[in-house]
Amino acid sequence: MDAPKPIGYWLKHLHDLLERHFDATLADLAIGRRHWQVLNTLSRGEATRDELAEALAPFWAGGEPGLDEVLRELAGWTTGAGGALALSDDGRAAHEHIAARIHANRAVVLNGLTADQYAETVRILSVMAANVEAALGGHADAPFAVSRAGTR
């Protein structure tokens, strides 16, 4: 069978590859993607723990280190004056160093694509996501109701 693989396969496969590539990019620094996300978010300005948690929630899955653990591991790169977290001088230097690696990482991923192709891919995926979100919003109970009906 040489049938083309469906979009779900490619989305999951790419996601897994991106995670592995990201981990390999940062492995020698003993940090991972979640650490980078905290550093990168704080590079834009200070934030409370709750603001960080809210900003990063869409990216963090269960089974990963939590925000508190990541913040402990970033001690020395962050400061926490008055409840707001910020990057220390060492944290800003680390962010700059790591950002160069992330940029190179992204260049590998986007090799062979134009900026327009990337933008169109993101646009198409966002439309598909919105379509599914709308469908789920209108039929939130449908999958459960169908499976229950099939067992009677």
Side-chain angles (χ1 to χ4, degrees):
M1 283 195 192
D2 286 42
K5 291 178 173 56
I7 192 167
Y9 168 84
W10 289 113
L11 290 172
K12 176 73 172 123
H13 184 60
L14 178 58
H15 176 267
D16 292 346
L17 288 171
L18 290 172
E19 290 288 333
R20 287 177 42 209
H21 190 224
F22 214 100
D23 288 345
T25 299
L26 302 176
D28 65 312
L29 300 174
I31 63 170
R33 189 171 195 170
R34 305 311 163 231
H35 299 82
W36 163 251
Q37 289 171 324
V38 169
L39 291 172
N40 198 46
T41 300
L42 290 176
S43 76
R44 296 183 210 118
E46 66 180 33
T48 66
R49 189 208 171 285
D50 289 344
E51 289 168 337
L52 264 180
E54 183 178 335
L56 300 173
F59 305 103
W60 291 31
E64 297 177 332
L67 181 57
D68 291 332
E69 181 179 343
V70 169
L71 287 170
R72 275 192 305 277
E73 292 169 352
L74 291 175
W77 286 356
T78 60
T79 62
L85 298 161
L87 292 180
S88 66
D89 290 341
D90 287 345
R92 281 189 291 282
H95 176 266
E96 186 176 319
H97 172 75
I98 296 166
R101 288 184 180 199
I102 300 306
H103 180 74
N105 180 302
R106 289 182 181 147
V108 168
V109 173
L110 300 177
N111 185 34
L113 297 174
T114 67
D116 288 343
Q117 288 171 321
Y118 175 76
E120 183 63 2
T121 300
V122 171
R123 186 194 71 76
I124 289 167
L125 291 172
S126 70
V127 168
M128 295 171 93
N131 291 343
V132 174
E133 286 171 350
L136 288 173
H139 305 297
D141 294 334
F144 181 69
V146 170
S147 68
R148 281 184 48 197
T151 59
R152 289 186 182 171

